[in-house]
Amino acid sequence: MTSKRIADTLGISPSSARHHLIKLQEIGLVQHDHYETINGIRADYLSVVDADVSIGVQTDDELYDRREQTTRQMLSDIVERFFAAMPRLRKNKMKKPEIFNGDLFTGMVHLNDEDSREFYTMVRTFLDTHEKKRTQDERAWEFAFLLYEAQE
């Protein structure tokens, strides 16, 4: 996608989009893909780099408040998309009740240090293995997964 298309999609100025994209390129999250000439103008097409991102919500420094705000917004956006998808998912479930199409579950588990590390590694490995589409019948599933040591 070009910075102009991103600007149009987000409703921001092309220069602002380009500024942010340069920053994303600098930290290795966006890369040059190819050039195309559009109406006589050389357009730089960019693509997302296959990378895991951790914003370091446990890091206590001058950026803590920004990281917390970003984390809250990310989770809020996922919850909004989840509820927006519910009518479609309910309709699908009525047509084909045998098909699993999503769930939200919460609770408490009791793990020692070794079990918590094993559980995290198992989930992370599974997610890493399935982050790219491998067959035509696979569909995208969005997730948000929180796991932290809680107080009882």
Side-chain angles (χ1 to χ4, degrees):
M1 191 179 275
T2 65
S3 58
K4 171 75 168 100
R5 182 161 177 209
I6 290 170
D8 292 346
T9 301
L10 297 176
I12 61 175
S13 71
S15 61
S16 180
R18 185 73 190 144
H19 167 78
H20 292 292
L21 286 166
I22 288 169
K23 295 291 184 190
L24 291 171
Q25 280 182 294
E26 289 173 0
I27 62 173
L29 295 179
V30 173
Q31 66 187 1
H32 166 76
D33 190 78
H34 68 280
Y35 292 107
E36 283 186 25
T37 302
I38 303 171
N39 298 327
I41 298 171
R42 185 176 175 200
D44 184 6
Y45 279 77
L46 303 165
S47 62
V48 176
V49 172
D50 183 16
D52 289 333
V53 176
S54 173
I55 63 171
V57 79
Q58 293 182 9
T59 304
D60 191 12
D61 62 12
E62 70 278 357
L63 297 176
Y64 177 81
D65 290 338
R66 285 185 173 175
R67 281 195 294 273
E68 182 180 336
Q69 181 182 10
T70 300
T71 302
R72 288 178 185 275
Q73 188 62 54
M74 289 168 59
L75 290 171
S76 175
D77 291 348
I78 289 172
V79 168
E80 287 300 316
R81 288 190 296 272
F82 175 78
F83 285 112
M86 283 301 102
R88 174 181 53 83
L89 297 176
R90 278 194 301 273
K91 190 182 295 185
N92 290 349
K93 190 72 168 175
M94 290 171 63
K95 290 178 187 173
K96 295 182 179 180
E98 71 280 3
I99 293 179
F100 174 76
N101 60 12
D103 197 0
L104 170 67
F105 52 94
T106 64
M108 191 77 65
V109 295
H110 294 84
L111 308 170
N112 60 33
D113 289 344
E114 182 181 335
D115 289 341
S116 63
R117 206 171 14 262
E118 178 185 350
F119 182 69
Y120 173 80
T121 301
M122 179 180 64
V123 170
R124 182 78 257 168
T125 300
F126 183 87
L127 295 174
D128 289 346
T129 303
H130 294 83
E131 69 184 357
K132 287 191 172 32
K133 190 171 185 172
R134 297 163 299 157
T135 65
Q136 288 297 83
D137 63 331
E138 290 180 336
R139 298 176 313 280
W141 291 73
E142 184 170 34
F143 65 91
F145 191 84
L146 296 173
L147 178 67
Y148 62 96
E149 186 178 337
Q151 293 183 354
E152 292 189 54

